Amino acid sequence: MRVLITTEQIHARLDEMARQIAPEYHGQPLTIVGVLTGSVMFLADLVRRLDMPLRIGLIQASSYRGAVSGELRIDASLLADVRGRHVLLLDDILDTGQTLARLVQHLHEQGALSVKVAVLLRKQGRQVHPVNVDFVGFEIPDAFVVGYGLDYNDEHRQLPYVAVLSS
Ligand code: 5GP
Ligand code: MG
């Protein structure tokens, strides 16, 4: 495993992102929605840097890349009503964009006043589904990464850094 982004780099970047995000929502009803499971570290570390009223929500998206390729199932049963609220959707990584594009559409359908997107990582040269991303932590090369929420076979999520998984 090769460390790509250190714990210190992540924390310094989160300080900057929080300073960028906070003024966008001054005095507005905000719900920060984390995409399970990959966004949990990002969510926990970012919200503790936002000194403002907000609610936290969780949503799950699972893709079945088997028979029906690219089919995506959304489980929003844990998510409280977002009608009349601004939503900031958080995910660990933007790859093809399929997941976030669908989730943004879903949240608009649920009556969110606005939906913005923040990702910790954006993989370069991979986006095929158009999705507007408002806040990006780090641009990374097209490699499979783990740690800081990101898994391989549901493992490595607890690593406090982002690493490239090499065989
Ligand atoms: P997308 O829908 O943008 O193609 O895929 C997004 C999801 O794929 C992410 O939320 C993440 O779960 C998974 N993913 C994409 N690239 C990586 C990667 O490099 N490492 C890990 N662990 N997951 C990834
Ligand atoms: Mg994910």
Side-chain angles (χ1 to χ4, degrees):
M1 224 179 273
R2 180 172 60 83
V3 176
L4 186 67
I5 308 170
T6 66
T7 305
E8 293 70 26
Q9 287 173 315
I10 294 171
H11 289 171
R13 184 70 185 119
L14 290 180
D15 288 343
E16 293 173 354
M17 290 180 86
R19 280 198 293 271
Q20 207 186 341
I21 289 166
E24 299 272 331
Y25 295 104
H26 184 76
Q28 311 264 23
L30 172 64
T31 301
I32 298 196
V33 176
V35 182
L36 290 171
T37 303
S39 75
V40 292
M41 310 289 169
F42 181 33
L43 175 68
D45 284 342
L46 183 68
V47 293
R48 282 180 288 178
R49 288 169 163 82
L50 294 171
D51 182 18
M52 57 198 279
L54 60 84
R55 294 180 188 170
I56 294 174
L58 295 168
I59 197 164
Q60 187 161 30
S62 8
S63 35
Y64 298 98
R65 303 186 198 253
V68 188
S69 93
E71 195 193 323
L72 192 80
R73 222 199 66 198
I74 293 173
D75 181 352
S77 56
L78 291 172
L79 184 63
D81 200 350
V82 294
R83 252 171 303 182
R85 303 189 61 81
H86 295 278
V87 169
L88 177 62
L89 184 60
L90 297 194
D91 206 358
D92 48 5
I93 188 164
L94 178 71
D95 187 23
T96 67
Q98 173 178 242
T99 308
L100 285 169
R102 278 287 291 118
L103 289 173
V104 167
Q105 184 194 345
H106 176 83
L107 290 161
H108 278 301
E109 286 164 7
Q110 297 306 303
L113 286 179
S114 71
V115 183
K116 288 191 181 193
V117 174
V119 293
L120 182 73
L121 309 173
R122 177 161 64 190
K123 255 191 214 182
Q124 279 160 357
R126 292 277 304 163
Q127 282 85 66
V128 291
H129 300 269
V131 53
N132 195 59
V133 178
D134 302 277
F135 309 98
V136 177
F138 300 91
E139 303 281 352
I140 64 164
D142 183 7
F144 192 82
V145 291
V146 296
Y148 200 71
L150 291 138
D151 73 303
Y152 175 67
N153 275 347
D154 244 347
E155 292 182 356
H156 310 304
R157 293 192 197 276
Q158 82 282 9
L159 298 174
Y161 47 80
V162 173
V164 175
L165 196 63
S166 43
S167 43

